[in-house]
PDB file of all heavy atoms in Angstrom:
ATOM      1  N   VAL A  14      -0.222  12.045 -29.768  1.00 98.00           N
ATOM      2  CA  VAL A  14      -1.563  11.576 -30.156  1.00 98.00           C
ATOM      3  C   VAL A  14      -2.460  12.797 -30.255  1.00 98.00           C
ATOM      4  O   VAL A  14      -2.592  13.571 -29.311  1.00 98.00           O
ATOM      5  CB  VAL A  14      -2.150  10.583 -29.128  1.00 98.00           C
ATOM      6  CG1 VAL A  14      -3.571  10.188 -29.528  1.00 98.00           C
ATOM      7  CG2 VAL A  14      -1.266   9.358 -28.989  1.00 98.00           C
ATOM      8  N   GLU A  15      -3.036  12.924 -31.444  1.00 97.00           N
ATOM      9  CA  GLU A  15      -3.888  14.085 -31.707  1.00 97.00           C
ATOM     10  C   GLU A  15      -5.343  13.615 -31.721  1.00 97.00           C
ATOM     11  O   GLU A  15      -5.645  12.546 -32.267  1.00 97.00           O
ATOM     12  CB  GLU A  15      -3.496  14.579 -33.112  1.00 97.00           C
ATOM     13  CG  GLU A  15      -3.936  15.956 -33.454  1.00 97.00           C
ATOM     14  CD  GLU A  15      -3.475  16.285 -34.875  1.00 97.00           C
ATOM     15  OE1 GLU A  15      -4.167  15.926 -35.838  1.00 97.00           O
ATOM     16  OE2 GLU A  15      -2.411  16.918 -35.002  1.00 97.00           O
ATOM     17  N   TYR A  16      -6.209  14.366 -31.089  1.00 97.00           N
ATOM     18  CA  TYR A  16      -7.642  14.081 -31.166  1.00 97.00           C
ATOM     19  C   TYR A  16      -8.327  15.300 -31.746  1.00 97.00           C
ATOM     20  O   TYR A  16      -7.757  16.392 -31.781  1.00 97.00           O
ATOM     21  CB  TYR A  16      -8.236  13.856 -29.769  1.00 97.00           C
ATOM     22  CG  TYR A  16      -7.831  12.572 -29.077  1.00 97.00           C
ATOM     23  CD1 TYR A  16      -7.386  12.608 -27.752  1.00 97.00           C
ATOM     24  CD2 TYR A  16      -7.920  11.339 -29.706  1.00 97.00           C
ATOM     25  CE1 TYR A  16      -7.034  11.444 -27.083  1.00 97.00           C
ATOM     26  CE2 TYR A  16      -7.568  10.175 -29.039  1.00 97.00           C
ATOM     27  CZ  TYR A  16      -7.131  10.234 -27.733  1.00 97.00           C
ATOM     28  OH  TYR A  16      -6.783   9.084 -27.075  1.00 97.00           O
ATOM     29  N   VAL A  17      -9.582  15.083 -32.165  1.00 95.00           N
ATOM     30  CA  VAL A  17     -10.401  16.217 -32.594  1.00 95.00           C
ATOM     31  C   VAL A  17     -11.590  16.282 -31.663  1.00 95.00           C
ATOM     32  O   VAL A  17     -12.261  15.267 -31.434  1.00 95.00           O
ATOM     33  CB  VAL A  17     -10.891  16.043 -34.048  1.00 95.00           C
ATOM     34  CG1 VAL A  17     -11.765  17.228 -34.452  1.00 95.00           C
ATOM     35  CG2 VAL A  17      -9.715  15.901 -34.997  1.00 95.00           C
ATOM     36  N   THR A  18     -11.819  17.444 -31.070  1.00 92.00           N
ATOM     37  CA  THR A  18     -13.002  17.605 -30.244  1.00 92.00           C
ATOM     38  C   THR A  18     -13.590  18.981 -30.526  1.00 92.00           C
ATOM     39  O   THR A  18     -12.851  19.944 -30.719  1.00 92.00           O
ATOM     40  CB  THR A  18     -12.662  17.378 -28.751  1.00 92.00           C
ATOM     41  OG1 THR A  18     -13.853  17.207 -28.037  1.00 92.00           O
ATOM     42  CG2 THR A  18     -11.868  18.501 -28.120  1.00 92.00           C
ATOM     43  N   GLN A  19     -14.890  19.063 -30.592  1.00 87.00           N
ATOM     44  CA  GLN A  19     -15.603  20.309 -30.957  1.00 87.00           C
ATOM     45  C   GLN A  19     -14.975  20.923 -32.210  1.00 87.00           C
ATOM     46  O   GLN A  19     -14.758  22.138 -32.274  1.00 87.00           O
ATOM     47  CB  GLN A  19     -15.556  21.322 -29.814  1.00 87.00           C
ATOM     48  CG  GLN A  19     -16.200  20.823 -28.543  1.00 87.00           C
ATOM     49  CD  GLN A  19     -15.635  21.511 -27.299  1.00 87.00           C
ATOM     50  OE1 GLN A  19     -14.895  22.482 -27.353  1.00 87.00           O
ATOM     51  NE2 GLN A  19     -15.997  20.977 -26.150  1.00 87.00           N
ATOM     52  N   GLY A  20     -14.652  20.074 -33.176  1.00 91.00           N
ATOM     53  CA  GLY A  20     -14.089  20.558 -34.442  1.00 91.00           C
ATOM     54  C   GLY A  20     -12.670  21.085 -34.332  1.00 91.00           C
ATOM     55  O   GLY A  20     -12.119  21.622 -35.291  1.00 91.00           O
ATOM     56  N   GLN A  21     -12.043  20.941 -33.163  1.00 94.00           N
ATOM     57  CA  GLN A  21     -10.688  21.477 -32.984  1.00 94.00           C
ATOM     58  C   GLN A  21      -9.692  20.344 -32.729  1.00 94.00           C
ATOM     59  O   GLN A  21      -9.949  19.446 -31.920  1.00 94.00           O
ATOM     60  CB  GLN A  21     -10.687  22.436 -31.788  1.00 94.00           C
ATOM     61  CG  GLN A  21      -9.428  23.274 -31.707  1.00 94.00           C
ATOM     62  CD  GLN A  21      -9.432  24.203 -30.500  1.00 94.00           C
ATOM     63  OE1 GLN A  21     -10.484  24.609 -30.019  1.00 94.00           O
ATOM     64  NE2 GLN A  21      -8.248  24.518 -30.016  1.00 94.00           N
ATOM     65  N   ARG A  22      -8.570  20.416 -33.435  1.00 95.00           N
ATOM     66  CA  ARG A  22      -7.505  19.423 -33.201  1.00 95.00           C
ATOM     67  C   ARG A  22      -6.705  19.827 -31.979  1.00 95.00           C
ATOM     68  O   ARG A  22      -6.427  21.010 -31.788  1.00 95.00           O
ATOM     69  CB  ARG A  22      -6.524  19.416 -34.381  1.00 95.00           C
ATOM     70  CG  ARG A  22      -7.055  18.730 -35.581  1.00 95.00           C
ATOM     71  CD  ARG A  22      -6.031  18.699 -36.710  1.00 95.00           C
ATOM     72  NE  ARG A  22      -6.666  18.156 -37.887  1.00 95.00           N
ATOM     73  CZ  ARG A  22      -6.889  16.854 -38.065  1.00 95.00           C
ATOM     74  NH1 ARG A  22      -6.480  15.991 -37.173  1.00 95.00           N
ATOM     75  NH2 ARG A  22      -7.503  16.424 -39.134  1.00 95.00           N
ATOM     76  N   PHE A  23      -6.310  18.819 -31.180  1.00 97.00           N
ATOM     77  CA  PHE A  23      -5.400  19.131 -30.072  1.00 97.00           C
ATOM     78  C   PHE A  23      -4.550  17.910 -29.777  1.00 97.00           C
ATOM     79  O   PHE A  23      -4.893  16.788 -30.150  1.00 97.00           O
ATOM     80  CB  PHE A  23      -6.183  19.578 -28.821  1.00 97.00           C
ATOM     81  CG  PHE A  23      -6.884  18.452 -28.119  1.00 97.00           C
ATOM     82  CD1 PHE A  23      -6.331  17.880 -26.972  1.00 97.00           C
ATOM     83  CD2 PHE A  23      -8.080  17.943 -28.593  1.00 97.00           C
ATOM     84  CE1 PHE A  23      -6.964  16.834 -26.321  1.00 97.00           C
ATOM     85  CE2 PHE A  23      -8.728  16.892 -27.940  1.00 97.00           C
ATOM     86  CZ  PHE A  23      -8.170  16.348 -26.804  1.00 97.00           C
ATOM     87  N   ASP A  24      -3.413  18.164 -29.117  1.00 97.00           N
ATOM     88  CA  ASP A  24      -2.513  17.067 -28.765  1.00 97.00           C
ATOM     89  C   ASP A  24      -2.849  16.584 -27.362  1.00 97.00           C
ATOM     90  O   ASP A  24      -2.624  17.298 -26.386  1.00 97.00           O
ATOM     91  CB  ASP A  24      -1.057  17.538 -28.802  1.00 97.00           C
ATOM     92  CG  ASP A  24      -0.637  17.932 -30.207  1.00 97.00           C
ATOM     93  OD1 ASP A  24      -1.036  17.235 -31.158  1.00 97.00           O
ATOM     94  OD2 ASP A  24       0.078  18.952 -30.346  1.00 97.00           O
ATOM     95  N   ALA A  25      -3.386  15.369 -27.271  1.00 97.00           N
ATOM     96  CA  ALA A  25      -3.696  14.810 -25.939  1.00 97.00           C
ATOM     97  C   ALA A  25      -2.405  14.401 -25.245  1.00 97.00           C
ATOM     98  O   ALA A  25      -2.279  14.542 -24.029  1.00 97.00           O
ATOM     99  CB  ALA A  25      -4.630  13.615 -26.071  1.00 97.00           C
ATOM    100  N   VAL A  26      -1.447  13.880 -26.002  1.00 98.00           N
ATOM    101  CA  VAL A  26      -0.089  13.687 -25.485  1.00 98.00           C
ATOM    102  C   VAL A  26       0.891  14.150 -26.553  1.00 98.00           C
ATOM    103  O   VAL A  26       0.606  14.082 -27.736  1.00 98.00           O
ATOM    104  CB  VAL A  26       0.224  12.223 -25.042  1.00 98.00           C
ATOM    105  CG1 VAL A  26      -0.706  11.755 -23.956  1.00 98.00           C
ATOM    106  CG2 VAL A  26       0.210  11.266 -26.202  1.00 98.00           C
ATOM    107  N   LEU A  27       2.031  14.629 -26.092  1.00 97.00           N
ATOM    108  CA  LEU A  27       2.926  15.338 -27.017  1.00 97.00           C
ATOM    109  C   LEU A  27       4.386  15.005 -26.713  1.00 97.00           C
ATOM    110  O   LEU A  27       4.855  15.227 -25.593  1.00 97.00           O
ATOM    111  CB  LEU A  27       2.667  16.841 -26.818  1.00 97.00           C
ATOM    112  CG  LEU A  27       3.362  17.832 -27.721  1.00 97.00           C
ATOM    113  CD1 LEU A  27       3.022  17.555 -29.180  1.00 97.00           C
ATOM    114  CD2 LEU A  27       2.894  19.246 -27.365  1.00 97.00           C
ATOM    115  N   GLY A  28       5.067  14.420 -27.716  1.00 97.00           N
ATOM    116  CA  GLY A  28       6.515  14.190 -27.604  1.00 97.00           C
ATOM    117  C   GLY A  28       6.910  13.284 -26.445  1.00 97.00           C
ATOM    118  O   GLY A  28       7.888  13.559 -25.747  1.00 97.00           O
ATOM    119  N   ILE A  29       6.154  12.198 -26.254  1.00 98.00           N
ATOM    120  CA  ILE A  29       6.453  11.299 -25.136  1.00 98.00           C
ATOM    121  C   ILE A  29       7.601  10.357 -25.510  1.00 98.00           C
ATOM    122  O   ILE A  29       7.511   9.590 -26.473  1.00 98.00           O
ATOM    123  CB  ILE A  29       5.216  10.443 -24.754  1.00 98.00           C
ATOM    124  CG1 ILE A  29       4.029  11.336 -24.389  1.00 98.00           C
ATOM    125  CG2 ILE A  29       5.551   9.451 -23.643  1.00 98.00           C
ATOM    126  CD1 ILE A  29       4.164  12.105 -23.101  1.00 98.00           C
ATOM    127  N   THR A  30       8.675  10.410 -24.729  1.00 97.00           N
ATOM    128  CA  THR A  30       9.792   9.480 -24.910  1.00 97.00           C
ATOM    129  C   THR A  30       9.993   8.744 -23.583  1.00 97.00           C
ATOM    130  O   THR A  30      10.232   9.374 -22.559  1.00 97.00           O
ATOM    131  CB  THR A  30      11.069  10.234 -25.332  1.00 97.00           C
ATOM    132  OG1 THR A  30      10.837  10.826 -26.620  1.00 97.00           O
ATOM    133  CG2 THR A  30      12.271   9.312 -25.410  1.00 97.00           C
ATOM    134  N   LEU A  31       9.811   7.432 -23.644  1.00 96.00           N
ATOM    135  CA  LEU A  31       9.858   6.607 -22.422  1.00 96.00           C
ATOM    136  C   LEU A  31      10.363   5.236 -22.805  1.00 96.00           C
ATOM    137  O   LEU A  31      10.045   4.748 -23.892  1.00 96.00           O
ATOM    138  CB  LEU A  31       8.436   6.355 -21.917  1.00 96.00           C
ATOM    139  CG  LEU A  31       7.750   7.288 -20.922  1.00 96.00           C
ATOM    140  CD1 LEU A  31       6.389   6.712 -20.592  1.00 96.00           C
ATOM    141  CD2 LEU A  31       8.579   7.461 -19.665  1.00 96.00           C
ATOM    142  N   ASP A  32      11.112   4.587 -21.943  1.00 96.00           N
ATOM    143  CA  ASP A  32      11.335   3.156 -22.187  1.00 96.00           C
ATOM    144  C   ASP A  32      11.096   2.379 -20.904  1.00 96.00           C
ATOM    145  O   ASP A  32      11.134   2.929 -19.811  1.00 96.00           O
ATOM    146  CB  ASP A  32      12.711   2.879 -22.793  1.00 96.00           C
ATOM    147  CG  ASP A  32      13.831   3.453 -21.979  1.00 96.00           C
ATOM    148  OD1 ASP A  32      13.713   3.417 -20.756  1.00 96.00           O
ATOM    149  OD2 ASP A  32      14.824   3.919 -22.559  1.00 96.00           O
ATOM    150  N   ILE A  33      10.790   1.119 -21.085  1.00 98.00           N
ATOM    151  CA  ILE A  33      10.553   0.244 -19.937  1.00 98.00           C
ATOM    152  C   ILE A  33      11.460  -0.966 -20.104  1.00 98.00           C
ATOM    153  O   ILE A  33      11.423  -1.655 -21.132  1.00 98.00           O
ATOM    154  CB  ILE A  33       9.079  -0.217 -19.848  1.00 98.00           C
ATOM    155  CG1 ILE A  33       8.127   0.972 -19.979  1.00 98.00           C
ATOM    156  CG2 ILE A  33       8.833  -0.963 -18.544  1.00 98.00           C
ATOM    157  CD1 ILE A  33       6.653   0.621 -19.899  1.00 98.00           C
ATOM    158  N   ALA A  34      12.319  -1.169 -19.101  1.00 97.00           N
ATOM    159  CA  ALA A  34      13.260  -2.289 -19.177  1.00 97.00           C
ATOM    160  C   ALA A  34      12.530  -3.595 -18.887  1.00 97.00           C
ATOM    161  O   ALA A  34      11.510  -3.612 -18.179  1.00 97.00           O
ATOM    162  CB  ALA A  34      14.381  -2.084 -18.163  1.00 97.00           C
ATOM    163  N   GLU A  35      13.068  -4.676 -19.433  1.00 96.00           N
ATOM    164  CA  GLU A  35      12.477  -5.985 -19.171  1.00 96.00           C
ATOM    165  C   GLU A  35      12.492  -6.250 -17.662  1.00 96.00           C
ATOM    166  O   GLU A  35      13.514  -6.064 -17.000  1.00 96.00           O
ATOM    167  CB  GLU A  35      13.282  -7.046 -19.915  1.00 96.00           C
ATOM    168  CG  GLU A  35      12.613  -8.376 -19.858  1.00 96.00           C
ATOM    169  CD  GLU A  35      12.756  -9.143 -21.164  1.00 96.00           C
ATOM    170  OE1 GLU A  35      13.641  -8.833 -21.979  1.00 96.00           O
ATOM    171  OE2 GLU A  35      11.966 -10.079 -21.328  1.00 96.00           O
ATOM    172  N   GLY A  36      11.369  -6.632 -17.101  1.00 96.00           N
ATOM    173  CA  GLY A  36      11.284  -6.949 -15.673  1.00 96.00           C
ATOM    174  C   GLY A  36      11.012  -5.746 -14.787  1.00 96.00           C
ATOM    175  O   GLY A  36      10.848  -5.883 -13.580  1.00 96.00           O
ATOM    176  N   GLU A  37      10.941  -4.567 -15.386  1.00 97.00           N
ATOM    177  CA  GLU A  37      10.743  -3.342 -14.602  1.00 97.00           C
ATOM    178  C   GLU A  37       9.250  -3.056 -14.402  1.00 97.00           C
ATOM    179  O   GLU A  37       8.409  -3.465 -15.206  1.00 97.00           O
ATOM    180  CB  GLU A  37      11.363  -2.157 -15.371  1.00 97.00           C
ATOM    181  CG  GLU A  37      11.250  -0.834 -14.640  1.00 97.00           C
ATOM    182  CD  GLU A  37      11.834   0.355 -15.418  1.00 97.00           C
ATOM    183  OE1 GLU A  37      11.751   0.365 -16.661  1.00 97.00           O
ATOM    184  OE2 GLU A  37      12.358   1.259 -14.766  1.00 97.00           O
ATOM    185  N   THR A  38       8.924  -2.341 -13.316  1.00 97.00           N
ATOM    186  CA  THR A  38       7.599  -1.723 -13.214  1.00 97.00           C
ATOM    187  C   THR A  38       7.812  -0.221 -13.318  1.00 97.00           C
ATOM    188  O   THR A  38       8.489   0.378 -12.485  1.00 97.00           O
ATOM    189  CB  THR A  38       6.918  -2.048 -11.864  1.00 97.00           C
ATOM    190  OG1 THR A  38       6.728  -3.456 -11.774  1.00 97.00           O
ATOM    191  CG2 THR A  38       5.557  -1.363 -11.772  1.00 97.00           C
TER     192      THR A  38
END
Side-chain angles (χ1 to χ4, degrees):
V14 177
E15 197 180 84
Y16 289 132
V17 179
T18 195
Q19 300 155 10
Q21 193 181 332
R22 284 182 186 282
F23 74 100
D24 295 320
V26 301
L27 185 58
I29 302 291
T30 296
L31 270 183
D32 54 37
I33 311 180
E35 189 142 19
E37 181 181 34
T38 298

